[in-house]
Amino acid sequence: MTDVPQETLDDATAVLTSALAGDSDAVVGTFDAVVDRSGVAGAYEVAWCLAATMVGDGVPRGAWTLDFPGIDEAGYDARWVARFVSAYANSDGDTGAALFGAAIADGQLPDCLLTLAGSAVATLRHRAG
């Protein structure tokens, strides 16, 4: 990720720290504070940072197909996270934004963001061994 404001990085760090501690209320509170301060666009940027955390550094740009076994049977939030992370991996901000908008319209964004935070933490823990 390049040209990300420090405030956005700080918010993403706060979300991850809260998620690592298992404090879902703090995760929600951080996203609420971001929305109050920067609107939905700010929450999108924090979510994009979480997707970047999951994908990691040094991933060559190009068309990627991510394998998510059983994704069609998964809940809305898990499908959303898989697609959102795929959009990030493919540098497809338009799809990421469309997914974000759809989750808002469907009333599912809070659950999707909690699942994204949990997935980012699971990815970090997996990498740590």
Side-chain angles (χ1 to χ4, degrees):
M1 293 192 61
T2 58
D3 300 327
V4 177
Q6 187 60 48
E7 186 173 52
T8 301
L9 295 174
D10 292 344
D11 291 330
T13 299
V15 166
L16 287 172
T17 300
S18 297
L20 280 164
D23 190 347
S24 59
D25 289 339
V27 170
V28 171
T30 299
F31 274 112
D32 286 347
V34 170
V35 170
D36 289 347
R37 184 181 64 244
S38 305
V40 174
Y44 172 83
E45 292 300 323
V46 172
W48 205 243
C49 285
L50 296 177
T53 298
M54 292 178 70
V55 171
D57 295 330
V59 175
R61 295 295 173 211
W64 288 92
T65 302
L66 301 180
D67 185 23
F68 295 97
I71 194 64
D72 292 329
E73 292 80 36
Y76 185 105
D77 56 335
R79 289 191 317 269
W80 184 90
V81 168
R83 291 177 179 130
F84 192 76
V85 172
S86 293
Y88 178 83
N90 285 297
S91 301
D92 188 353
D94 290 341
T95 297
L99 288 163
F100 214 79
I104 292 169
D106 293 340
Q108 297 292 320
L109 187 61
D111 289 338
C112 292
L113 294 176
L114 276 173
T115 301
L116 178 62
S119 297
V121 164
T123 299
L124 291 172
R125 287 183 175 144
H126 177 75
R127 283 188 194 137

